[in-house]
Amino acid sequence: MPTNVTAEYLEAEEEYRNAKTIPEKIRALEKMYATVPKHKGTEKLRLMIKRKLAELRKELEKQRQQRKGGGYSLAVKKEGAAQIVLVGFPNVGKSELLRALTGVDVESADYPFTTTEPIPAMMNYKDVQIQLVEVPGLIEGAALGKGMGPQLLAVVRNADAIAIVINLSEDPAKQMEILLREFERAGIKVNKRRPRVEIRKTPSGGIVINGAENIKGDLDEVMRMLREERIHSAEITVKEPVTLEEFADALDDSLVWKKAIIIANKGDAPGSKENYERLVKAYGDRFKIVPVSAKKGINLEAVKEALYEVADIIRVFTKSPGEEPAYPPIALKKGSTVLDVAERIHKDFAKNFRYARVWGKSVKFPGQRVGPDHVLEDGDIVEIHAR
């Protein structure tokens, strides 16, 4: 125990010792983690708290799954090029926003909990169909079991990206603080990148760490974490500098990593301008923030563009030799290659691939001949040549 912890930390530690339930323990550990001084001498303490939080989160989820076979599910089948959830507090205008972006006939009203289950709808933008899913309003404590919180957050975990809807007529910083805490509790890492640590389990040979010099911490702690995860034989490659906490995140297979934007709704409400400025000041470095009034239809095109960007997709047009590009385009994840296009057209095109010609931003000149591993960009035109 470091000697220079704060009084707030000691109070939280006492709260943890007296906690009887998993949610109570989680809340106490969160306070401990937030109040422990951050310096070299507390590194192991912070790591211990973080690992304990991960264990409790898994145990809480295990308990839920054991109750009635996992309880009521709210799973939404993915359709279109990507699935993006609209998530926020009750009565922030998610239903109105969904209707404005997709045209779907969904009930909306100026009172909380109008929506009681996830509502999917398709948004057409740039000739691509993107599935938007409105999630019923989250409340503080959702990840710890309040209301339908765990089921709603499961929908968020499964989506490709998140659109956080904030009500500009109320304190935006408080809304964000609570929502981000619930995401963290649910194992959802928002606008953070998974540490570049690859773990390949092997049948024998013990632990081999490539790039151990990239680990900024005690290697004995690394070995302890591996033992706790029951990893006794593996080849581990650390591709970038990581702290012990980041290494712990790389080991935690219960975490998901999601891109997110903020849609700042009710921009026509009194005080919305000042609240928008506060939101940008607090979160503008971490999130793209788009102000909108769904009720008045203001700035909807900017919202659609932001949703398209956070979906992390590209449009690729295909063509046959001597013909114009086919319509509609194929939607693919960013980083997709020419071979991915060939496989989408037909498995025989991929199997018998010879080369392709590409027009667009990914090549140096129009019609450039490329191989199967050529990475494409949005709007590219691809002509596949096969045997």
Side-chain angles (χ1 to χ4, degrees):
M1 166 66 68
T3 57
N4 61 342
V5 294
T6 63
E8 290 83 3
Y9 176 88
L10 293 174
E11 289 176 9
E13 188 179 47
E14 181 66 19
E15 186 179 325
Y16 175 72
R17 280 196 291 266
N18 295 329
K20 299 293 191 295
T21 66
I22 291 179
E24 287 173 353
K25 290 178 180 179
I26 289 175
R27 280 191 285 264
L29 284 169
E30 287 174 342
K31 291 178 185 177
M32 289 167 63
Y33 187 81
T35 55
V36 68
K38 290 179 171 58
H39 54 71
K40 188 69 175 177
T42 62
E43 184 178 40
K44 290 184 180 180
L45 176 59
R46 285 184 281 120
L47 178 62
M48 181 193 73
I49 296 170
K50 191 164 187 175
R51 295 284 290 166
K52 189 61 182 175
L53 278 168
E55 290 173 15
L56 289 172
R57 189 177 66 242
K58 291 176 184 177
E59 183 61 29
L60 191 63
E61 181 59 28
K62 184 179 178 182
Q63 288 183 3
R64 291 188 191 117
Q65 293 299 324
Q66 288 172 344
R67 296 190 200 113
K68 300 180 182 180
Y72 180 52
S73 173
L74 294 174
V76 179
K77 181 182 176 182
K78 289 185 178 181
E79 296 181 356
Q83 183 188 83
I84 303 176
V85 291
L86 305 178
V87 59
F89 277 15
N91 204 33
V92 296
K94 297 185 299 295
S95 296
E96 208 161 41
L97 185 63
L98 186 71
R99 182 170 61 236
L101 294 171
T102 68
V104 68
D105 186 15
V106 55
E107 181 184 0
S108 62
D110 290 329
Y111 53 83
F113 304 109
T114 309
T115 302
T116 57
E117 60 183 27
I119 300 176
M122 302 302 291
M123 179 185 79
N124 185 290
Y125 187 68
K126 293 186 175 180
D127 303 317
V128 171
Q129 294 286 331
I130 296 174
Q131 185 186 46
L132 305 183
V133 179
E134 179 196 350
V135 176
L138 288 181
I139 57 175
E140 189 168 6
L144 300 181
K146 279 194 176 181
M148 295 291 290
Q151 291 90 336
L152 300 179
L153 286 163
V155 176
V156 179
R157 283 176 61 92
N158 187 58
D160 296 309
I162 304 170
I164 302 171
V165 184
I166 293 297
N167 178 3
L168 285 179
S169 69
E170 297 180 3
D171 186 347
K174 183 178 179 181
Q175 294 173 66
M176 284 297 298
E177 179 186 340
I178 293 172
L179 289 171
L180 291 179
R181 182 165 61 243
E182 296 305 321
F183 292 155
E184 190 72 23
R185 285 171 171 172
I188 303 169
K189 296 288 187 180
V190 179
N191 279 3
K192 296 179 180 178
R193 183 172 57 79
R194 183 189 296 273
R196 296 183 63 204
V197 177
E198 292 182 0
I199 301 168
R200 185 175 65 86
K201 294 182 181 180
T202 55
S204 61
I207 300 296
V208 177
I209 302 179
N210 303 314
E213 67 277 5
N214 282 327
I215 299 175
K216 307 305 177 185
D218 189 348
L219 285 180
D220 288 340
E221 284 295 321
V222 171
M223 300 305 291
R224 184 180 65 80
M225 282 189 275
L226 292 169
R227 287 194 298 271
E228 288 177 355
E229 293 292 333
R230 298 181 181 177
I231 300 174
H232 304 292
S233 185
E235 182 179 2
I236 299 170
T237 304
V238 186
K239 295 186 173 183
E240 65 181 358
V242 294
T243 64
L244 290 176
E245 290 184 57
E246 289 168 338
F247 190 89
D249 283 344
L251 283 179
D252 190 347
D253 57 10
S254 71
L255 299 179
V256 293
W257 310 76
K258 302 294 178 183
K259 287 189 175 183
I261 61 169
I262 297 173
I263 301 176
N265 193 27
K266 302 193 179 184
D268 56 313
S272 62
K273 184 176 183 295
E274 293 77 11
N275 280 335
Y276 173 71
E277 290 171 354
R278 293 190 190 102
L279 185 63
V280 171
K281 183 177 180 180
Y283 293 97
D285 291 342
R286 183 175 167 190
F287 294 89
K288 182 179 181 64
I289 304 174
V290 186
V292 65
S293 169
K295 184 176 183 179
K296 294 190 175 181
I298 297 171
N299 217 27
L300 292 177
E301 285 304 305
V303 173
K304 291 180 179 180
E305 177 65 27
L307 289 168
Y308 178 81
E309 288 177 3
V310 79
D312 228 18
I313 55 178
I314 61 172
R315 299 161 304 147
V316 175
F317 296 85
T318 60
K319 69 182 290 294
S320 299
E323 297 184 7
E324 291 296 312
Y327 179 87
I330 297 172
L332 298 164
K333 283 292 180 184
K334 279 185 181 176
S336 293
T337 65
V338 166
L339 190 61
D340 292 323
V341 175
E343 288 174 345
R344 284 286 295 271
I345 296 172
H346 197 283
K347 60 182 180 181
D348 287 344
F349 275 88
K351 182 179 178 181
N352 301 314
F353 181 89
R354 289 173 58 211
Y355 65 91
R357 294 194 183 280
V358 176
W359 292 256
K361 291 182 286 187
S362 72
V363 290
K364 295 179 180 178
F365 56 87
Q368 182 178 330
R369 180 167 169 162
V370 300
D373 297 328
H374 177 78
V375 177
L376 298 164
E377 294 191 30
D378 188 46
D380 277 358
I381 300 169
V382 179
E383 181 181 280
I384 304 290
H385 292 256
R387 289 188 290 274

